[in-house]
Amino acid sequence: MNASNWTLKEEIRAYWSGRAATFDESRGHRIADGTEARAWHRLITGALGEIAGKNVLDLACGTGEISRMLLDLGAHVTGVDFAEPMLARAAEKLRKRRWKGVLGDAESLETLAPASFDGIVTRHLAWTLTDPPAAYAAIRRVLKPGARLLVVDGDWVSETPRVRLLRGLAKMIDGRMGQVGADPDLHQRILAQLPYAGGLTAERLREDLEEAGFSNVARHSTLAIYLWGMRGASLSDRLRLLAPARFAVCAMRPNESGQDRPARRKDDRYRVGP
């Protein structure tokens, strides 16, 4: 962690720590058992392949919802998060299952051994990164050669006419800006300082992962997981879930030594701060 983004990182940590108590109440975070969970199982298996008996990392695990999906598929799961209240809730939720929690920074993963995971899944992390190349390099380091990363994320920023309409209608219905427990002003202040402040797209993520040395980058549909996730939701919450462009991108750490190059920066577009 460099000195220039220390304050921002601590602000991000405080934001997510503050949301831990209500995080599972927010639509799009809690995964319902049954049809929605099975849709997640299909997405994960389609991206990573068979993971039963394998070591899989849930990066930025939050309250452990993605860890639950990985455990359902028979994986040995490690969850990493740098917000202690989030990690504590995951540990309580998964205390009787084969899960290990690690307090750590996604942009360094310094406590994890190189080439130690058969797969990595991260949901809604990439957009919050203060140093994306450092994070992607760390992820690549702890993946085994030939293993895959699945990133589930979205463009939470771009204010297209459609986004404004859907979010505006949601606010008209319930008078709420954003999700349960969220602080919209703090969210915007943090977002304005991040490298992906202009909005993270699947194409931008593909370019950045390839620049970091990943190969076989492919997009997977998130339609099923979010359609099933809206079952039983209020109309306003459905509108909020439909507003942003969501995506899932899978990438592989190459096997070939000639391709297995270290990440490099081609410019300073990720620099945080003045």
Side-chain angles (χ1 to χ4, degrees), residues 54-58 67 70-71 75-79 98-100:
K54 296 183 178 180
N55 294 319
V56 181
L57 175 63
D58 178 7
S67 288
L70 297 171
L71 290 163
H76 307 305
V77 182
T78 299
R98 189 173 291 180
W99 182 87
K100 178 176 71 174

Side-chain angles (χ1 to χ4, degrees), residues 62-166:
T63 62
E65 288 298 284
I66 296 300
S67 288
R68 285 200 308 119
M69 301 301 102
L70 297 171
L71 290 163
D72 289 348
L73 293 168
H76 307 305
V77 182
T78 299
V80 170
D81 206 284
F82 83 154
E84 290 184 71
M86 288 283 193
L87 202 62
R89 287 187 171 266
E92 174 62 22
K93 184 184 296 182
L94 305 170
R95 66 187 183 281
K96 296 182 179 180
R97 306 188 70 175
R98 189 173 291 180
W99 182 87
K100 178 176 71 174
V102 176
L103 187 66
D105 184 350
E107 294 179 4
S108 64
L109 299 178
E110 56 190 4
T111 63
L112 302 181
S116 54
F117 292 100
D118 301 291
I120 296 177
V121 180
T122 185
R123 176 176 66 155
H124 303 170
L125 165 70
W127 73 274
T128 70
L129 294 170
T130 67
D131 190 346
Y136 302 146
I139 290 168
R140 188 171 168 278
R141 178 182 63 83
V142 302
L143 266 178
K144 294 178 180 179
R148 296 175 183 174
L149 160 72
L150 172 63
V151 179
V152 181
D153 221 295
D155 181 357
W156 320 113
V157 178
S158 298
E159 286 287 332
T160 64
R162 176 180 175 276
V163 169
R164 286 194 295 271
L165 174 62
L166 293 176

Side-chain angles (χ1 to χ4, degrees), residues 28-267:
H29 296 293
R30 178 71 178 182
I31 299 172
D33 293 331
T35 309
E36 185 183 359
R38 288 192 292 272
W40 273 99
H41 297 161
R42 289 191 295 272
L43 172 62
I44 292 168
T45 301
L48 302 186
E50 177 59 54
I51 59 172
K54 296 183 178 180
N55 294 319
V56 181
L57 175 63
D58 178 7
L59 185 57
C61 65
T63 62
E65 288 298 284
I66 296 300
S67 288
R68 285 200 308 119
M69 301 301 102
L70 297 171
L71 290 163
D72 289 348
L73 293 168
H76 307 305
V77 182
T78 299
V80 170
D81 206 284
F82 83 154
E84 290 184 71
M86 288 283 193
L87 202 62
R89 287 187 171 266
E92 174 62 22
K93 184 184 296 182
L94 305 170
R95 66 187 183 281
K96 296 182 179 180
R97 306 188 70 175
R98 189 173 291 180
W99 182 87
K100 178 176 71 174
V102 176
L103 187 66
D105 184 350
E107 294 179 4
S108 64
L109 299 178
E110 56 190 4
T111 63
L112 302 181
S116 54
F117 292 100
D118 301 291
I120 296 177
V121 180
T122 185
R123 176 176 66 155
H124 303 170
L125 165 70
W127 73 274
T128 70
L129 294 170
T130 67
D131 190 346
Y136 302 146
I139 290 168
R140 188 171 168 278
R141 178 182 63 83
V142 302
L143 266 178
K144 294 178 180 179
R148 296 175 183 174
L149 160 72
L150 172 63
V151 179
V152 181
D153 221 295
D155 181 357
W156 320 113
V157 178
S158 298
E159 286 287 332
T160 64
R162 176 180 175 276
V163 169
R164 286 194 295 271
L165 174 62
L166 293 176
R167 288 177 175 164
L169 288 172
K171 185 180 179 184
M172 286 175 62
I173 292 169
D174 64 14
R176 178 163 49 85
M177 283 291 293
Q179 295 183 327
V180 174
D183 180 335
D185 293 335
L186 177 56
H187 181 278
Q188 289 300 319
R189 186 166 72 247
I190 290 172
L191 179 61
Q193 302 175 72
L194 295 173
Y196 291 132
L200 177 62
T201 64
E203 178 60 21
R204 173 74 180 275
L205 181 60
R206 180 192 65 77
E207 293 173 355
D208 292 348
L209 289 172
E210 289 179 345
E211 184 65 23
F214 287 90
S215 65
N216 294 59
V217 181
R219 185 166 179 175
H220 292 255
S221 174
T222 59
L223 181 61
I225 61 174
Y226 289 111
L227 284 179
W228 287 115
M230 286 190 285
R231 294 185 70 188
S234 66
L235 176 58
S236 56
D237 279 338
R238 291 187 187 192
L239 293 170
R240 288 190 182 91
L241 286 169
L242 287 169
R246 302 170 183 270
F247 52 82
V249 171
C250 179
M252 183 180 76
R253 175 178 175 176
N255 271 310
E256 297 81 8
S257 58
Q259 288 182 288
D260 198 17
R261 58 179 175 79
R264 70 183 191 277
R265 295 175 185 263
K266 61 183 177 183
D267 55 42

